[in-house]
Amino acid sequence: MHPEAGQLLRMAADAANRGDFAQALPMLSHALAIDSEATAPAYAELLSHLSLTSWPRQLEADLVTCLNAGAVDPQTLARAAARMLLVKYPEPVVAGDALWEAFLTRCINVDPAMEVRLIWLAGQDLPDGLRDALAVQAFASEYVWGGERLGVPADAMVELAEELVLAVEMPSLESSFPRRRPGPRLESCDAESGPRPSPGKEEEEDAGRRISGAVRAQYETNPYPRWRAPAARQHVSVSAHLAALGAPQEQPLAVLVAGCGTGFEPIDLAGMDKSLAITALDLSAASLAYGKRMAGVLGVERVRFVQGDILDVEALGQRFGLVNCTGVLHHMERPEDGLAALVEVLEPGGVLRLALYSERARAWVAEARRVIGEQGWDANPAGIRAFRAYVFALPPEQPLARLRESDDFYSLSGCRDLCFHVREHWYRLPAVQEMLAGAGLELLMLDAPPEAQHCFTQLFGTAGDRRDLGLWDRVEGTYPHLFAGMFHLWARKPG
């Protein structure tokens, strides 16, 4: 990084920490002009938290620069870009400019007022450039708000659209697992069949496999999450982090990302620590294809993509020092079976990072699922659109109106994962403690966000045991929305 840009970044960070954004923004803008690639991530982080009430021209130019910077995930700026455009054009007009093009082709909209504007634009006679950019946006959101009449983008815009949402078959995708019930879009496999369930377990086994099949079918149709680039990360040592938790591991560290979806987590990990040997496992061939393609685009080489079921993870024939399983086990028929399978492939002394849905924080999703069931809306484009129309029509004080604040609400795959999932369990922390103990795991920490840490200190002071999930349950009972992003836990297998 250019020395002057680095100094300006530090000064801007100090000003932002004091809440003095009027001072921070000009310094960041100057730093961006000196060294855009190095400073864009810090500027983008600040922009993503701003609430705009005016339209500063320099800020608009800086936002366009950040949206096009290779080191920035443009999706983090989607809300800021939408709101700036709505401030710039308070009345619906047909206007093509650099911010419109960057927003439409680099982001998926997550602003309800902007969705109304996009629907209006789709009905206008647009110049070719703006029409193609809007078509990229419609394609990226899977036509969740309509826009089919715009067609799939042509010429140069096709590449942009594919970079946003490509999900194709990849014949080279590795498949190392026995297939008890072959389904569509599965590669052939030469591995031997795994052991059959023990006597008396056939019914449970069949139920678990049925849910696995249904979950796989969901993500074959709607790969999730849809992402373009991992956020810029400082290089860190994952092994050093585990050692700080009291669970040192041998080098090089073998990592399993169990339920990797479209590959964001393993690719993000590979960018943070290039020493890791990562295996990325998922049920869905379409999701893995997306991840494998993005790994190639980003030059990530140390990720091995494997299709298979967590229940069959032992067929990998490998042990791991770290298993990362976030947002996955709660979509299995019996999450405890999935947890037991993952513990089996942990090295003695190995660490499991686990994330599970909170029952309290997901109460609004439970209400959404109740409404969906009552109305008979299916998990298809027509049903998802009908549900979204219902939510958009709600008064803002209604609990389900909160869904409009969720980024996942603005694409078919995201909304389906959020509210139409085929299987979902929710937890309170004492039940999580029991599940970990039943799997023979020792809790290392609950990875709570700063707001939750502050609430814990308010209730129990600095002497409270932060590994006591009973205390954390009392914190959540007082502040039930703290863990909207799931419970994130680190646990160790005794060595």
Side-chain angles (χ1 to χ4, degrees):
M1 180 186 295
H2 190 282
E4 184 180 356
Q7 182 179 6
L8 285 166
L9 270 184
R10 290 188 291 273
M11 294 169 60
D14 290 340
N17 288 336
R18 297 193 305 269
D20 190 351
F21 298 114
Q23 184 181 18
L25 283 170
M27 288 188 287
L28 282 169
S29 184
H30 189 190
L32 193 70
I34 296 170
D35 189 344
S36 63
E37 281 300 310
T39 59
Y43 199 169
E45 174 66 19
L46 181 60
L47 287 177
S48 68
H49 297 294
L50 289 181
S51 296
L52 296 168
T53 56
S54 61
W55 168 48
R57 287 185 177 274
Q58 184 57 51
L59 188 59
E60 178 187 3
D62 292 344
L63 180 54
V64 172
T65 299
C66 290
L67 281 167
N68 287 292
V72 173
D73 177 4
Q75 190 57 35
T76 62
L77 295 170
R79 190 166 276 107
R83 290 174 182 173
M84 181 174 283
L85 283 164
L86 292 170
V87 169
K88 182 177 180 180
Y89 300 110
E91 298 298 326
V93 294
V94 174
D97 59 28
L99 183 56
W100 262 121
E101 181 176 337
F103 168 69
L104 292 173
T105 62
R106 302 278 291 174
C107 306
I108 296 175
N109 174 58
V110 292
D111 184 272
M114 177 54 76
E115 182 163 319
V116 174
R117 185 69 59 86
L118 297 178
I119 293 169
W120 178 84
L121 273 175
Q124 307 306 306
D125 184 16
L126 303 177
D128 289 345
L130 184 57
R131 181 185 180 84
D132 285 346
L134 184 61
V136 172
Q137 178 65 211
F139 182 69
S141 65
E142 304 157 276
Y143 305 105
V144 72
W145 47 266
E148 292 93 334
R149 63 181 291 273
L150 294 164
V152 175
D155 304 327
M157 289 300 177
V158 169
E159 182 178 353
L160 288 170
E162 288 181 342
E163 287 178 2
L164 277 165
V165 293
L166 187 67
V168 298
E169 295 276 8
M170 277 208 174
S172 61
L173 187 66
E174 182 178 351
S175 184
S176 299
F177 285 76
R179 305 286 185 222
R180 288 185 174 84
R181 288 173 173 78
R185 305 182 69 179
L186 299 180
E187 282 73 28
S188 61
C189 177
D190 298 327
E192 296 180 7
S193 296
R196 295 300 303 163
S198 57
K201 293 288 186 180
E202 289 86 350
E203 186 173 344
E204 290 182 4
E205 172 78 8
D206 286 347
R209 299 289 169 181
R210 283 196 298 272
I211 291 299
S212 290
V215 171
R216 181 179 65 241
Q218 173 175 331
Y219 291 122
E220 295 289 10
T221 303
N222 296 111
Y224 174 87
R226 306 172 84 75
W227 62 281
R228 181 184 177 87
R233 298 272 193 178
Q234 290 184 335
H235 295 303
V236 300
S237 168
V238 173
S239 293
H241 178 70
L242 298 181
L245 289 176
Q249 303 297 312
E250 293 184 2
Q251 296 284 347
L253 180 61
V255 179
L256 171 66
V257 180
C260 69
T262 51
F264 181 90
E265 284 188 301
I267 291 172
D268 191 38
L269 274 172
M272 290 169 55
D273 187 340
K274 298 186 184 302
S275 72
L276 303 175
I278 301 173
T279 299
L281 169 70
D282 200 79
L283 285 166
S284 164
S287 296
L288 287 164
Y290 189 122
K292 192 167 185 178
R293 178 187 185 277
M294 291 305 295
V297 168
L298 297 168
V300 174
E301 298 178 350
R302 293 179 64 86
V303 178
R304 170 193 178 203
F305 290 93
V306 183
Q307 186 185 3
D309 193 324
I310 285 173
L311 294 172
D312 298 320
V313 69
E314 275 199 287
L316 284 170
Q318 184 179 355
R319 294 292 181 265
F320 301 90
L322 172 64
V323 172
N324 187 81
C325 186
T326 59
V328 178
L329 292 186
H330 49 225
H331 292 313
M332 300 181 73
E333 176 65 16
R334 289 175 47 83
E336 59 270 29
D337 291 347
L339 180 60
L342 294 177
V343 171
E344 282 297 314
V345 298
L346 264 180
E347 293 277 9
V351 174
L352 172 71
R353 180 172 182 259
L354 182 67
L356 298 167
Y357 284 146
S358 160
E359 178 184 301
R360 292 186 179 103
R362 298 284 285 186
W364 55 301
V365 176
E367 173 63 12
R369 293 170 70 91
R370 183 191 66 77
V371 169
I372 289 165
E374 284 184 353
Q375 297 294 327
W377 290 320
D378 293 325
N380 55 32
I384 293 170
R385 285 172 176 161
F387 171 65
R388 293 181 79 250
Y390 171 89
V391 172
F392 277 128
L394 290 172
E397 65 273 11
Q398 290 293 315
L400 280 189
R402 280 189 62 203
L403 287 168
R404 303 195 291 250
E405 302 169 14
S406 170
D407 288 3
D408 281 342
F409 193 63
Y410 293 88
S411 67
L412 284 179
S413 58
C415 191
R416 184 175 182 184
D417 185 85
L418 180 66
C419 297
F420 286 80
H421 206 286
V422 298
R423 194 73 171 100
E424 190 164 305
H425 298 268
W426 306 307
Y427 290 91
R428 295 201 179 182
L429 283 166
V432 174
Q433 181 76 68
E434 291 179 11
M435 189 164 71
L436 294 176
L441 292 168
E442 169 196 359
L443 178 68
L444 296 174
M445 70 175 293
L446 174 68
D447 197 358
E451 180 187 2
Q453 297 283 357
H454 176 70
C455 293
F456 187 99
T457 302
Q458 281 189 316
L459 288 181
F460 302 112
T462 57
D465 183 359
R466 293 178 186 246
R467 292 193 300 175
D468 185 338
L469 295 187
L471 294 184
W472 278 111
D473 183 61
R474 290 167 61 185
V475 173
E476 193 194 20
T478 306
Y479 306 99
H481 301 300
L482 278 179
F483 294 98
M486 296 186 285
F487 300 125
H488 290 264
L489 308 108
W490 297 81
R492 177 179 176 273
K493 179 179 180 179

